[in-house]
Amino acid sequence: MDHYGVFGNPIEHSLSPIIHSQFAKQTGLDIKYEKILAPLDDFAKTAQMFISQGAKGFNITVPFKIEAFNLATQCSLNAQTAGAVNTIKKNGNELMGENTDGIGLVNDLTKNLNISLNGKTVLILGAGGATRGILLPLLNQQPKRLMIANRTASKAIDLAKDFSIYGNTCGFGLDKVKNDPVDVIINATSASLDGQMPDIATGVANGAICYDLMYGTQTPFMDWAKANNAKMIVDGLGMLVEQAAAAFKFWTGKQPNTQEVIKNLRS
Ligand code: NDP
């Protein structure tokens, strides 16, 4: 039996064991996947112990993704540009770091929801860790323009500059969002966690696809999108399952059926 897990603090809420056990069942693999609460000041040692006990890899969630990036001995371009790792695979003496968050979002948008980003205008709200993780995979879809708007404008401007070699990006403060509609709005702020929606120009949502990275509840962003004539409103559950599927494939080489798992989780 191959052993995997997810490290976080807190970790009780994690759906990853349920998702990976369904993937294992689908692909006929014998896998044990557990939740591991790492002490806030001792992630690296706890993770190394897990590997030394024979585990083949693990996922990493809040707040350890940057420490996991430092722990990995080799990193993919996705992980390097994100500066964060959410998946580690043991390969001989190497700990290979990957970041599957952005691939997860893109796969949910393009495969599950049938939305092409090619030639589209995309607005991301927020410039934190999640935004850094999704930027390269989004830009690889060749949107016409990718705008980053953040409460702290300087962070959005810096992030847009960092990624400008990969596509047409720009960054500004939330107060500079124009009333002109865009094709896709992605809420990557953590405002929903506090029951808030940033105060931005409402015309931008008219006819847009509005995607909240948060899942499990109707968020203030989703309410705002509905009130402002969005064409489609989606939460981040599909991204969660898709990022898990990309990790599962990174470890095992097998591609699970994500739509079945998303359907199970929604019901
Ligand atoms: P960070 O803490 O790194 O960044 C938070 C961002 O939200 C910052 O840009 C911050 O702005 C902004 N923000 C916070 N509160 C407000 C507010 N009241 N109004 C406006 N902006 C605000 O968080 P992450 O980037 O790691 O996570 C963001 C969200 O993405 C979370 O809800 C998380 O759950 C979700 N997520 C979902 C995933 C999935 O699989 N579905 C995967 C990863 C993340 P400022 O810079 O000004 O402080």
Side-chain angles (χ1 to χ4, degrees), residues 117 120-124 138 143-148 182-186:
L117 296 170
K120 302 283 170 58
T121 47
V122 179
L123 171 67
I124 302 180
L138 285 174
K144 182 170 153 200
R145 195 159 190 233
L146 198 156
M147 295 168 273
I148 307 165
V182 297
D183 295 309
V184 180
I185 307 175
I186 297 167

Side-chain angles (χ1 to χ4, degrees), residues 172-187:
F172 41 81
L174 290 171
D175 55 330
K176 296 281 190 312
V177 172
K178 291 193 181 143
N179 243 332
D180 307 337
V182 297
D183 295 309
V184 180
I185 307 175
I186 297 167
N187 181 28

Side-chain angles (χ1 to χ4, degrees), residues 65 101 126-130 150-152 155 174 188-191 193 196 198 213 215 236 239-240:
K65 291 184 189 180
D101 282 339
N150 194 44
R151 181 173 61 183
T152 311
K155 281 210 232 168
L174 290 171
T189 71
S190 52
L193 293 172
Q196 289 177 12
L213 295 198
Y215 55 85
M239 171 180 172
L240 177 77

Side-chain angles (χ1 to χ4, degrees), residues 172-249:
F172 41 81
L174 290 171
D175 55 330
K176 296 281 190 312
V177 172
K178 291 193 181 143
N179 243 332
D180 307 337
V182 297
D183 295 309
V184 180
I185 307 175
I186 297 167
N187 181 28
T189 71
S190 52
S192 292
L193 293 172
D194 303 323
Q196 289 177 12
M197 168 60 202
D199 185 18
I200 62 170
T202 53
V204 71
N206 196 0
I209 293 159
C210 289
Y211 193 109
D212 200 332
L213 295 198
M214 196 166 151
Y215 55 85
T217 175
Q218 176 75 16
T219 67
F221 170 75
M222 294 165 86
D223 290 339
W224 172 89
K226 192 171 176 199
N228 292 295
N229 305 318
K231 181 166 77 180
M232 188 192 280
I233 302 166
V234 197
D235 74 2
L237 186 73
M239 171 180 172
L240 177 77
V241 174
E242 291 294 343
Q243 64 76 27
F248 191 86
K249 192 167 178 199

Side-chain angles (χ1 to χ4, degrees), residues 111-113 241-242 256-264:
K111 296 185 179 163
N112 299 332
L113 303 168
V241 174
E242 291 294 343
N257 177 346
T258 49
Q259 298 213 2
E260 185 182 280
V261 176
I262 294 168
K263 207 169 123 201
N264 289 345

